């Protein structure tokens, strides 16, 4: 067996608060960190999270977070006049020269009378001063001006804003890099939609470019804030798409009669012990200076009752698969790093969760799994083989299915102890999570 360096127990969150409609979102710990947008500031060597309510949190290690409070006092008068709302949703940040630009949504629930406005500051900690409206929409348009995300074209340096939810889907709009405002008339180009029979529920687009694969990866959230909220991805060689999933289907194709379009990398889940979770969504992605990637999303404890459930935030590492897809780690981040493991380290009993698309998207439950020292694997009545393929990778084969997995030390958040986790993707386009028990 090898000497494995497991992460230490992560910080314990304060008790879950009662969510009072209309109450403050500025709550202790990570509670009500809704629509989290992540940013790393190289000057301060600190991570920041911006969330609905224009709230900001700061960290040095992605584990210990300090609440900095509200960083935008109010939307600009032009926006409030348009939306008749003072709410600020889903901020996203980008740095342009020495200016920090925060793109904020101003809207009300269930309408398209919305605005995305720009606020600026000379520090990531604000205060951010409104500068102008980037895009306004109304019920006369097929799109909704909320949920902004800013990205640059890796080749041209041109800047774009992703946005949108429900109705006509998620779009990309060309920006003027000098002003930070729109550089084109209209609503831009559609990147992703959902069928009308699924309530058109799609939102929170977020895009990254990976220089190692030369792909743009588009993340979108299906299912709104209901229990079937989940995160899907597609990829493209071009920033304006089209974006295709694992099976070559366009995310902009509304013909999806079985809810399988898009590679699902996170959904509601339940291990055999501990708290079950539902509705991960509206994610952002961190490309860390050390080359690691992280998926940041809000999520809620499983609750099928009618009263609201307060959201919290989860951070998971993202891994690159051999066929250049991105998958999420099986356990939330606790400071772990990839390191060599031996076959004897891997042998033993596990819990396994398959992230299987369904109608509606359900809570995926764990089942028993076993890796045996003779290269045999057992999963309920399924038998197959396994082998190490690298210092921290392995391959499973059963029936006609092959799964490639990445092994990492982890903190078992349900059993409150260190463990090994496996995070994988099958050749059928299904993500899998495992933890050793």
């Amino acid at each position: 067996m090898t000497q494995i360096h497991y992460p230490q127990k992560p910080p314990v969150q304060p008790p879950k608060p009662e969510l009072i409609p209309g109450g403050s979102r500025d709550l202790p710990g990570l509670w009500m960190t809704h629509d989290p947008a992540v940013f790393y500031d190289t000057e301060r060597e600190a991570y920041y999270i911006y969330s609905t309510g224009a709230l900001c949190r700061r960290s040095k290690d992605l584990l210990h977070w300090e609440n900095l409070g509200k960083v935008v006092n109010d939307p600009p008068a032009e926006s409030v006049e348009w939306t008749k709302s003072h709410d600020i949703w889903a901020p996203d940040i980008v740095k342009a020269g020495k200016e920090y630009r925060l793109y904020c949504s101003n809207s009300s629930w269930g309408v398209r009378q919305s605005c995305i406005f720009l606020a600026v500051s000379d520090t990531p900690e604000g205060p951010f001063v409104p500068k102008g409206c980037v895009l306004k929409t109304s019920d006369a348009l097929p799109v909704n001006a909320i949920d902004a995300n800013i990205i640059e074209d890796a080749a041209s340096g041109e800047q774009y804003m992703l946005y949108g939810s429900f109705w006509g889907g998620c779009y990309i709009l060309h920006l003027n890099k000098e002003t930070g405002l729109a550089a084109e008339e209209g609503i831009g180009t559609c990147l992703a939609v959902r069928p009308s029979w699924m309530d058109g529920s799609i939102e929170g687009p977020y895009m990254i470019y990976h220089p190692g694969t030369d792909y743009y990866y588009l993340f979108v959230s299906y299912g709104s804030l209901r229990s079937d909220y989940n995160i899907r991805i597609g990829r493209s060689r071009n920033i304006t798409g089209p974006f295709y999933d694992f099976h070559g289907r366009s995310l902009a194709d509304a013909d999806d009669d079985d809810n399988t379009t898009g590679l699902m990398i996170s959904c509601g889940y339940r291990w055999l012990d501990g708290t079950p979770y539902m509705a991960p969504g509206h994610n952002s992605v961190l490309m860390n200076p050390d080359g690691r990637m992280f998926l940041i999303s809000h999520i809620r404890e499983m609750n099928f009752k009618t009263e609201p459930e307060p959201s919290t935030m989860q951070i998971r590492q993202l891994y690159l698969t051999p066929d250049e897809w991105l998958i999420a780690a099986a356990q939330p981040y606790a400071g772990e790093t990839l390191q060599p493991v031996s076959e004897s380290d891997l042998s033993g009993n596990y819990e396994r969760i398959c992230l299987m698309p369904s109608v509606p998207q359900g809570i995926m439950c764990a089942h028993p799994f076993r890796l045996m020292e003779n290269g045999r694997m057992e999963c309920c009545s399924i038998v197959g083989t396994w082998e190490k393929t690298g210092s921290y990778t392995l391959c499973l084969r059963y029936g006609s299915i092959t799964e490639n997995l990445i092994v990492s030390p982890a903190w078992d958040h349900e059993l409150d102890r260190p463990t090994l986790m496996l995070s994988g993707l099958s050749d059928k386009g299904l993500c899998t999570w495992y933890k050793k028990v």
Side-chain angles (χ1 to χ4, degrees):
M1 299 182 72
T2 55
Q3 180 65 41
I4 299 175
H5 300 284
Y6 290 97
Q8 296 182 344
K9 181 175 180 175
V12 176
Q13 289 299 305
K16 182 171 66 174
E18 293 292 330
L19 178 62
I20 303 173
S24 172
R25 291 181 175 270
D26 192 2
L27 299 175
L30 298 177
W31 293 109
M32 290 308 295
T33 310
H34 203 72
D35 309 325
V38 66
F39 176 73
Y40 180 75
D41 187 60
T42 54
E43 292 185 18
R44 292 161 180 80
E45 296 183 336
Y47 301 94
Y48 293 88
I49 290 289
Y50 304 87
S51 60
T52 283
L55 300 177
C56 181
R57 288 171 169 82
R58 178 179 61 198
S59 175
K60 287 290 187 178
D61 58 6
L62 295 174
L63 296 171
H64 300 82
W65 292 93
E66 176 187 3
N67 291 4
L68 301 183
K70 193 170 184 177
V71 293
V72 183
N73 287 328
D74 209 39
E78 177 188 359
S79 183
V80 172
E81 182 180 355
W82 180 258
T83 65
K84 304 298 187 289
S85 170
H86 291 266
D87 287 346
I88 299 176
W89 299 346
D92 189 47
I93 192 169
V94 66
K95 189 178 182 185
K98 294 185 176 181
E99 185 176 69
Y100 295 86
R101 296 174 175 175
L102 198 67
Y103 288 79
C104 305
S105 304
N106 174 217
S107 186
S108 298
W109 180 256
V111 301
R112 280 169 280 176
Q113 192 79 17
S114 306
C115 178
I116 294 172
F117 69 89
L118 170 62
V120 300
S121 177
D122 59 2
T123 165
E125 299 176 9
F128 289 83
V129 179
K131 183 177 180 179
C133 293
V134 184
L135 179 67
K136 293 189 287 187
T137 57
S138 70
D139 289 344
L141 294 173
V143 293
N144 192 16
I146 64 170
D147 297 355
N149 166 235
I150 311 304
I151 186 171
E152 288 189 3
D153 188 297
S156 69
E158 293 294 310
Q159 200 169 72
Y160 293 84
M161 179 180 77
L162 287 81
Y163 75 96
S165 74
F166 284 76
W167 296 291
C170 298
Y171 281 66
I172 187 168
L173 183 74
H174 189 200
L175 295 181
N176 182 317
K177 196 172 179 178
E178 295 300 316
T179 66
L181 303 176
E184 64 174 307
E185 298 290 333
I187 59 177
T189 302
C190 180
L191 298 181
V193 296
R194 298 301 293 141
S196 59
W197 68 270
M198 298 201 73
D199 199 24
S201 53
I202 186 172
E203 59 186 14
Y206 199 95
M207 191 187 301
I208 62 167
Y209 171 75
H210 194 292
T213 67
D214 194 33
Y215 275 116
Y216 294 91
Y217 295 90
L218 173 64
F219 298 72
V220 290
S221 295
Y222 288 2
S224 183
L225 299 179
R226 297 179 174 88
S227 62
D228 57 348
Y229 214 35
N230 62 95
I231 301 172
R232 313 270 180 131
I233 63 173
R235 67 186 186 187
S236 176
R237 297 294 185 189
N238 302 303
I239 195 169
T240 55
F243 285 83
Y244 296 104
D245 71 5
F246 185 90
H247 298 287
R249 295 168 298 189
S250 170
L251 269 61
D253 186 355
D255 184 14
D256 181 15
D257 61 3
D258 58 1
N259 195 31
T260 58
T261 298
L263 175 62
M264 187 169 69
I265 63 168
S266 184
C267 67
Y269 65 93
R270 183 172 197 161
W271 298 102
L272 299 183
D273 296 283
T275 302
Y277 285 90
M278 68 181 189
H282 201 122
N283 72 278
S284 59
V285 177
L286 174 69
M287 304 282 284
N288 212 40
D290 62 9
R292 292 184 297 167
M293 296 175 289
F294 296 87
L295 179 78
I296 296 91
S297 73
H298 63 234
I299 195 167
R300 291 176 287 159
E301 294 182 4
M302 192 179 77
N303 176 2
F304 292 125
K305 299 178 181 179
T306 55
E307 57 264 23
E309 177 70 35
S311 60
T312 185
M313 184 177 77
Q314 280 190 356
I315 298 176
R316 295 173 185 262
Q317 283 206 64
L318 284 172
Y319 303 126
L320 191 64
T321 69
D323 49 359
E324 299 183 334
W325 283 100
L326 298 177
I327 59 173
Q331 284 282 312
Y333 180 65
E336 70 273 1
T337 57
L338 295 175
Q339 52 197 273
V341 294
S342 68
E343 290 187 3
S344 57
D345 294 322
L346 289 167
S347 298
N349 295 315
Y350 291 77
E351 294 176 21
R352 177 184 187 267
I353 295 177
C354 181
L355 278 59
M356 175 80 72
S358 59
V359 181
Q361 186 55 51
I363 308 298
M364 298 294 102
C365 297
H367 47 259
F369 178 85
R370 187 181 181 193
L371 294 179
M372 303 170 72
E373 292 186 357
N374 60 2
R376 176 185 171 97
M377 56 144 280
E378 296 178 351
C379 183
C380 302
S381 62
I382 306 300
V383 296
T385 61
W386 71 279
E387 63 175 336
K388 277 194 66 186
T389 54
S391 59
Y392 50 79
T393 58
L394 71 151
C395 181
L396 307 178
R397 294 183 177 88
Y398 49 97
S400 63
I401 298 172
T402 299
E403 282 185 35
N404 287 295
L405 299 116
I406 295 169
V407 188
S408 175
W411 187 265
D412 188 325
H413 287 251
E414 291 72 37
L415 298 178
D416 202 27
R417 66 189 187 191
T419 189
L420 284 179
M421 65 177 172
L422 315 178
S423 311
L425 177 64
S426 77
D427 58 359
K428 306 299 183 183
L430 296 176
C431 292
T432 49
W433 290 345
Y434 303 72
K435 66 173 184 177
K436 194 173 184 182
V437 293

